[in-house]
Amino acid sequence: MISPAVNAAYDVESLRAEFPVLGEQVHGKSLVYFDNAATTQKPKQVIEAVDHYYRAYNSNVHRGAHMLSSLATEAQENAREALRAHINARRAHEVVFTAGTTASLNMAAGSLGQLLLKPGDEVLVTAMEHHANIVPWQFACERHGAKLKVVPITGEGELDLPVIPGLPRNPGLFTDQPGQAPNPGLFTDRTKILAIAHVSNTLGTINPVKELVAEAKRRGIATVVDGAQAIAHLPVDVQDLGCDLYAFSGHKMYAPTGIGVLYGREELLEQMPPWSGGGEMIDRVTFERTTYAGLPFKFEAGTPHIAGIIGLGAAVNWIESRGKEAMAAHEEALLEHATETLSAIDGLRIIGTAAKKVGVVSFVVEGVHHSDLGTLLDQQGIAVRTGHHCTQPLMQCFNITGTTRASFAPYNTIGEVDAMVAATRRAVNMLR
Amino acid sequence: MTTPIAQIQQELVDEFAMFQDWQDRYEHLIGMAKGLQTIDPSRKLDDNLVRGCQSRVWLHGEKVDGKVCFTADSDALITKGIVALLVRVYSGHTPQEILGASSEFIDRIGLRQHLSPNRANGLSAMIDQMKHYALAFSA
Ligand SMILES: Cc1ncc(COP(=O)(O)O)c(C=O)c1O
């Protein structure tokens, strides 16, 4: 019997009590929510902050000459400051509010593409990117006549890189002379932008972003990091990472949907052209010429998702009160236990076995279709995601059509992992 | 004499009403999947894929003696069970009978509330595709 390495001091029950939805039943069974990489549940502190805003001081920001507007504006800017501190940005105006990671990456690709890309230039992404960090770059490449290049991955689901100690693969990656097998130098003198996931949503792999960014920076390449899956699970320090832009979504860090962030290094944001036009983002408008507002408002056209921003600020405060490290250690114990117990199922193969992972376990079972498994797990009260997880190119690398993915959060328990494993065994028996 | 569509639908509703829990219901569907008259491998073409399903579902219709005969397959077993159930209902009837048949038996079986939203969409897409064949053959 495997005895899971759970820290006795970690009070998962008191943490669960803060998430009202965890008390729900599905198909007559207690909910086991393992779809946290898609969206996390919300603690009552976040729900109450949003509720309180609508009940007590709903108003537009930066516009009204009245008390409620000042309160709403203050709450929005407090949230911005909380986010600044959380990711250790130098200035609060480096935190731009967007609708989410997808919106952030579209803005990054659109605006940075316009600033940097010329015909024949190259944008480098990786084989494990979410479609949200592929398609906007395809748009930008098409618009400016640039080319998309891809960093390959290994069978374990790690980036195939030479710079990582102990992984002396593909010395060609960092050469300026293309043509070396198997992967000709991916960074060339035409590479203008590197866009990379901090953590893979399908595999859980934690990428060596800091090292890659340092290498890119040395070559004058702009760096964009998709932090959607990192922000709730890893300490994120944008100054330490050194990246130019960092994108994430509120809803994957216990906050509402429809709100997210694009962090940008001040000097770069100043140079980047605005991406959408409208109210709030201007300084002066005439029909002949418009001048833009300063940061961050240049990138925040229109009325923002004020309730979402306030909820996001509350989520950051909640994370900090609970401690990201303690929660991450708990998730790691869940991951370890799930990996061991799932692996014991006959014919089950884990997709994504990188040395450094967050609490995501994707797997396939021989002779069993992931959608059948997902259906039968749901019947047993267990919520997972099945399919390609918006990473179709990655599925092609592994030559599979999809996986079943369980992704963990601080409120999950070892007992729930055991329930999932038992339910998986039962489902597999029915399906084979 | 072929059994009218409404009667087959009622038989299915009665069959599923016997099951107490989800496991029996799904085991029955899986059993139906295993009994499906599958599509000829040469017809497993992308053109015969039903759009709107998470797993791949192939459906082919043919007119034989004035009646539409369906064969199908899927790479997922439960999906195959669902398409088998629909083939049992709609195959072997005239285009007019198929076009005139209601699909509310799905709700009476209690299947829809046990299907995820994308499976429920997939099920509707399969019925649409069958009616589409019937319409084409009625011309
Ligand atoms: C790695 C990654 N990037 C981007 C996204 C897109 O995030 P959103 O849908 O919140 O815009 C996701 C969400 O699944 C993700 O996991």
Side-chain angles (χ1 to χ4, degrees), chain B residues 64-95:
Chain B
V64 182
D65 298 334
K67 295 183 173 164
V68 188
C69 295
F70 293 109
T71 51
D73 203 357
S74 172
D75 49 11
L77 206 52
I78 294 170
T79 314
K80 192 167 159 181
I82 292 170
V83 78
L85 182 149
L86 296 178
V87 166
R88 182 165 143 197
V89 171
Y90 294 104
S91 191
H93 301 277
T94 65

Side-chain angles (χ1 to χ4, degrees), chain A residues 27 29 369-373 375-376 378-380 386-387 401 426-427 430-432, chain B residues 21-23 25-27 30 34 54-56 75-79 113-115 119:
Chain A
H27 303 303
K29 298 172 184 83
H369 195 278
H370 49 81
S371 80
D372 289 336
L373 187 52
T375 300
L376 297 186
D378 177 54
Q379 289 297 313
Q380 300 174 78
T386 63
T401 58
R426 191 169 174 187
M430 285 175 69
L431 292 163
R432 279 213 282 236
Chain B
D21 73 355
W22 68 273
Q23 183 159 353
R25 205 175 293 123
Y26 276 94
E27 272 170 352
I30 291 167
K34 291 179 174 160
Q54 200 195 92
S55 46
R56 289 186 299 172
D75 49 11
L77 206 52
I78 294 170
T79 314
Q113 70 261 31
H114 286 278
L115 296 177
R119 266 200 204 278

Side-chain angles (χ1 to χ4, degrees), chain A residues 50 56 244 250 283 288 290 293 338 340 345 392 408:
Chain A
V50 171
D244 291 312
D283 168 33
E288 288 69 42
T290 292
E340 279 189 55
I345 296 177
Q392 287 182 5
F408 306 125

Side-chain angles (χ1 to χ4, degrees), chain A residues 45-64:
Chain A
Q45 289 83 344
V46 168
I47 299 169
E48 283 162 10
V50 171
D51 183 80
H52 180 62
Y53 160 69
Y54 281 127
R55 287 175 191 277
Y57 60 103
N58 171 59
S59 187
N60 211 326
V61 286
H62 294 295
R63 290 179 191 179

Side-chain angles (χ1 to χ4, degrees), chain B residues 9 18 21 37 40 42 53 57 74 82 87 92 111 116 122 130:
Chain B
Q9 291 179 340
M18 297 186 318
D21 73 355
Q37 159 100 50
D40 190 284
S42 68
C53 299
V57 180
S74 172
I82 292 170
V87 166
L111 206 52
S116 62
M130 289 179 159

Side-chain angles (χ1 to χ4, degrees), chain A residues 176-302:
Chain A
D176 288 332
Q177 293 88 32
Q180 285 142 308
N183 300 303
L186 286 169
F187 277 148
T188 72
D189 54 7
R190 298 310 303 264
T191 311
K192 291 290 152 54
I193 300 167
L194 170 70
I196 180 184
H198 197 170
V199 167
S200 156
N201 63 311
T202 303
L203 306 169
T205 308
I206 302 172
N207 286 319
V209 166
K210 186 176 172 181
E211 291 78 358
L212 270 168
V213 164
E215 184 63 30
K217 230 170 158 175
R218 210 175 58 72
R219 293 160 180 270
I221 296 167
T223 51
V224 182
V225 180
D226 172 356
Q229 295 295 338
I231 192 69
H233 309 286
L234 296 179
V236 172
D237 179 331
V238 290
Q239 290 188 63
D240 181 57
L241 288 174
C243 58
D244 291 312
L245 302 176
Y246 193 96
F248 56 95
S249 297
H251 71 96
K252 294 184 198 282
M253 56 184 298
Y254 322 107
T257 52
I259 186 68
V261 165
L262 180 64
Y263 154 82
R265 202 167 47 78
E266 182 181 40
E267 297 74 21
L268 186 64
L269 285 184
E270 294 284 8
Q271 292 172 45
M272 283 165 58
W275 190 238
S276 45
E280 296 263 14
M281 56 78 68
I282 50 86
D283 168 33
R284 209 182 137 72
V285 177
T286 64
F287 282 112
E288 288 69 42
R289 184 160 177 275
T290 292
T291 53
Y292 308 122
L295 296 177
F297 306 110
K298 180 172 106 175
F299 293 104
E300 293 181 353

